[in-house]
């Protein structure tokens, strides 16, 4: 067996330990599962992306969801002039 050592933020480590313990394993088991899956799939076994929405985009998503849930609760417009008049009030 080989030893692998790496550095991790203390807070992240504590949160990870709580998570893996609640799943009935330790950190070594969790990282071995990750490594096994990565080798099996020949890739990182989850999507890594930098496309994290900013606060403004998240707010727009929430507004869209609210409109979807209750279309009668949203304001509709019949023209762009009417919309801009309402916005500029």
């Amino acid at each position: 067996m080989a030893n692998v050592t790496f550095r991790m933020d203390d807070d992240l480590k504590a949160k990870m330990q709580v998570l893996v313990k609640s799943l009935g394993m330790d950190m070594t088991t969790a990282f071995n599962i990750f490594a096994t899956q990565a080798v099996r799939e020949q890739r990182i076994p989850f999507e890594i992306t930098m496309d994290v929405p900013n606060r403004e985009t998240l707010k727009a998503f929430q507004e869209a969801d609210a409109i979807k849930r209750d279309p009668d609760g949203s304001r509709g417009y019949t023209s762009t002039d009417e919309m801009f008049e309402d916005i500029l009030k």
Side-chain angles (χ1 to χ4, degrees):
M1 292 294 254
N3 284 326
V4 178
T5 304
F6 58 92
R7 299 182 65 75
M8 177 183 289
D9 176 79
D10 291 333
D11 186 51
L12 177 59
K13 179 185 176 194
K15 289 176 182 176
M16 180 68 172
Q17 286 174 318
V18 169
L19 171 66
V20 298
K21 184 177 181 181
S22 72
L23 296 170
M25 64 182 90
D26 58 17
M27 296 265 285
T28 299
T29 302
F31 286 113
N32 276 315
I33 289 170
F34 168 81
T36 301
Q37 191 71 14
V39 169
R40 180 181 297 132
E41 294 183 20
Q42 291 295 292
R43 66 181 190 90
I44 301 296
F46 49 82
E47 183 178 357
I48 299 174
T49 180
M50 293 198 45
D51 295 332
V52 177
N54 61 29
R55 286 185 182 147
E56 184 177 355
T57 303
L58 288 173
K59 185 177 176 185
F61 289 159
Q62 291 167 346
E63 289 174 8
D65 286 340
I67 291 169
K68 218 185 326 181
R69 283 191 305 275
D70 182 18
D72 295 330
S74 64
R75 171 78 168 97
Y77 302 99
T78 58
S79 71
T80 54
D81 289 336
E82 183 184 355
M83 178 189 70
F84 281 114
E85 184 179 316
D86 188 40
I87 290 171
L88 298 173
K89 283 184 191 176

